[in-house]
């Protein structure tokens, strides 16, 4: 939150380059970080609780994300406007 917006983009780019060689985990609530991701559909995992308070892992649905990106400049803008649940789907590979 305290980095200049252009530096956030550069840091995300560096992390994405590093992720090609080893796993990287970044926990954030920063919309700027989400907007800077080159491939949010592949990069983002949202951990949330279901109605029984069990952890579930959600990922952006590729088709829905593309539809929303036609109107919003990035996943962060979608989240900022409270539409993130509309682009997410349960990750079939994750277990709760």
């Amino acid at each position: 939150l305290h980095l200049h917006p252009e530096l956030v983009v550069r840091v995300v780019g560096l992390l994405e380059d590093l992720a090609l060689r080893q796993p990287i985990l970044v926990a954030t609530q920063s919309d700027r970080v989400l907007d800077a991701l080159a491939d949010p559909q592949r990069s983002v995992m949202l951990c949330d609780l279901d109605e029984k308070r069990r952890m579930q892992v959600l990922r952006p649905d590729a088709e829905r994300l593309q539809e929303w990106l036609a109107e919003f400049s990035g996943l962060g803008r979608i989240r900022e406007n409270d539409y993130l649940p509309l682009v997410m789907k349960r990750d079939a590979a994750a277990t709760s």
Side-chain angles (χ1 to χ4, degrees):
L1 291 175
H2 302 289
L3 286 178
H4 188 279
E6 291 179 21
L7 288 178
V8 169
V9 173
R10 289 175 67 185
V11 168
V12 169
L14 291 171
L15 291 171
E16 288 179 322
D17 288 344
L18 186 58
L20 297 173
R21 295 183 296 280
Q22 61 191 29
I24 300 293
L25 175 65
V26 176
T28 186
Q29 293 181 339
S30 169
D31 294 326
R32 288 184 181 155
V33 168
L34 294 174
D35 284 340
L37 293 169
D39 186 0
Q41 194 276 325
R42 187 179 63 94
S43 303
V44 172
M45 295 175 72
L46 172 67
C47 297
D48 200 6
L49 297 177
D50 69 10
E51 64 279 349
K52 295 183 180 178
R53 307 217 24 97
R54 294 177 300 194
M55 198 267 298
Q56 62 180 349
V57 177
L58 306 171
R59 285 190 173 271
D61 178 273
E63 289 181 29
R64 284 186 261 169
L65 179 59
Q66 288 309 308
E67 291 171 9
W68 282 91
L69 288 176
E71 187 170 336
F72 292 91
S73 62
L75 189 61
R77 296 292 163 244
I78 293 169
R79 189 186 87 83
E80 178 182 297
N81 286 281
D82 296 324
Y83 295 127
L84 190 59
L86 300 176
V87 301
M88 303 303 279
K89 68 175 179 178
R90 185 177 177 99
D91 186 346
T95 59
S96 55

